[in-house]
Amino acid sequence: MHFHPTERIALFIDGANLYSAARSLNADLDFRKLLDTFRQKAILVRAFYYTAVIEGEEFSALKPLVDWLDYNGFTVVTKPVKRFTDAQGHTKTKGNMDIELAVDMLEFAPHVDHMVLFSGDGDFRRLVQAIQAKGVRVTVISTTRTQPPQIADELRRQADVFVELNDLLPDISRPRPAPAAPSARNFEIERPA
């Protein structure tokens, strides 16, 4: 990654998009390692994490992550998922955080030299262009190593630097448990007669 040790940086993580990219690469992210990695490269001013949450559920798989992030150095931005019924009578959910992320990036631009956007969403191309017009460099992190690629080509081209998420995984992921070794009891040894 291309950072200067004295530059002020901010991370903007599109939670749903990053989760999808990491899952497609069969990786579990370690957000403590992620923060440490960027703190070693530059002056990390703020790390934002955006996600929609389902309200009213007794248990949400996302709640422990959101709580951990909130207590461990991230500014977590959430909003409730909206439920609606389509024309066929199917209940669907919607929880897009694009506007919140875009507004925060634009407001935060005067306070940093470099922004890191964890998303592959092509809708952010114009946002990245607007941030660059304010004199702020933008690195985009996503992946091309999936079918289909998680990064929109127009966003990748607009970024000052594109970082392949798969190349960053050794620094920011949790090791996967190794498969259990076969037990000697599971094999019978054939002996010559």
Side-chain angles (χ1 to χ4, degrees):
M1 290 185 287
H2 308 279
F3 295 98
H4 304 289
T6 58
E7 73 182 344
R8 297 165 301 155
I9 65 171
L11 310 181
F12 292 84
I13 300 171
D14 176 348
N17 196 283
L18 179 59
Y19 173 79
S20 176
R23 192 177 78 199
S24 69
L25 294 169
N26 199 30
D28 293 325
L29 298 179
D30 183 326
F31 287 96
R32 184 181 313 277
K33 284 181 166 181
L34 187 144
L35 280 182
D36 291 344
T37 296
F38 285 93
R39 283 180 177 140
Q40 292 169 9
K41 297 190 178 303
I43 301 166
L44 181 60
V45 177
R46 186 82 37 93
F48 293 91
Y49 186 93
Y50 299 83
T51 190
V53 294
I54 299 173
E55 290 187 335
E57 285 193 358
E58 197 165 308
F59 176 77
S60 165
L62 193 57
K63 180 134 179 54
L65 172 64
V66 168
D67 286 345
W68 187 92
L69 293 170
D70 209 20
Y71 283 108
N72 287 281
F74 286 83
T75 299
V76 179
V77 181
T78 64
K79 76 175 178 186
V81 168
K82 293 187 179 182
R83 294 181 181 192
F84 64 96
T85 305
D86 66 13
Q88 290 77 32
H90 300 107
T91 302
K92 300 208 174 191
T93 58
K94 182 179 179 185
N96 192 318
M97 298 294 296
D98 291 2
I99 296 299
E100 290 79 1
L101 190 149
V103 168
D104 287 349
M105 281 184 79
L106 287 167
E107 287 182 344
F108 216 72
H111 306 289
V112 294
D113 307 303
H114 194 151
M115 290 183 171
V116 181
L117 174 62
F118 286 81
S119 183
D121 189 338
D123 291 342
F124 290 132
R125 189 211 58 83
R126 180 65 183 100
L127 169 65
V128 169
Q129 185 181 41
I131 297 296
Q132 291 166 330
K134 295 179 177 296
V136 177
R137 292 185 334 128
V138 180
T139 292
V140 172
I141 299 176
S142 188
T143 186
T144 60
R145 306 252 172 97
T146 58
Q147 285 302 326
Q150 297 281 326
I151 179 86
D153 190 55
E154 61 271 17
L155 179 61
R156 184 176 178 194
R157 289 173 186 266
Q158 186 65 53
D160 292 298
V161 176
F162 169 72
V163 174
E164 171 59 52
L165 178 61
N166 195 57
D167 297 341
L168 192 57
L169 288 178
D171 296 329
I172 67 167
S173 67
R174 266 188 210 107
R176 289 247 170 180
S183 167
R185 289 181 286 168
N186 293 343
F187 297 99
E188 289 192 31
I189 302 172
E190 289 188 31
R191 296 178 193 234

